[in-house]
Amino acid sequence: MSKARRILIWTITAVMLLLFSEIWIKNEAISHVVSIIGSLVMMRVFMKAFKDESKKVTFWVTIAMAAFMVDILLNLILLSI
């Protein structure tokens, strides 16, 4: 299986986890856990897809990583409440 196909499969998986956690899961604790897993998968996809790119792309990947980390932090805070 090619690298592009694997990245596509992981991207679809992460997006479905994020959508699934927000829309269909009614239990808030489980929803936050699934959202955290989806964010971690998306971070992995971004790191693998844009591993050897230019400085401009690396900057935006860093911004995306920070956004996913903030999302994970917020979900952990909401999970602990």
Side-chain angles (χ1 to χ4, degrees):
M1 190 180 298
S2 69
K3 180 181 176 182
R5 183 171 285 177
R6 277 184 270 150
I7 289 174
L8 179 65
I9 290 171
W10 278 110
T11 304
I12 292 170
T13 302
V15 169
M16 289 307 295
L17 280 171
L18 290 171
L19 287 175
F20 186 68
S21 70
E22 296 297 325
I23 296 172
W24 290 302
I25 297 178
K26 301 300 180 200
N27 187 340
E28 279 194 41
I30 295 172
S31 173
H32 292 303
V33 171
V34 172
S35 181
I36 290 170
I37 293 169
S39 294
L40 289 172
V41 171
M42 260 327 247
M43 285 178 64
R44 179 177 178 263
V45 167
F46 270 95
M47 287 189 288
K48 286 201 179 254
F50 301 109
K51 184 170 52 175
D52 300 320
E53 294 293 331
S54 67
K55 288 183 181 181
K56 190 174 187 179
V57 172
T58 304
F59 171 75
W60 288 110
V61 169
T62 305
I63 298 295
M65 292 300 116
F68 284 122
M69 287 182 182
V70 167
D71 180 50
I72 291 169
L73 179 65
L74 290 174
N75 278 315
L76 286 173
I77 290 170
L78 290 173
L79 191 60
S80 68
I81 294 177

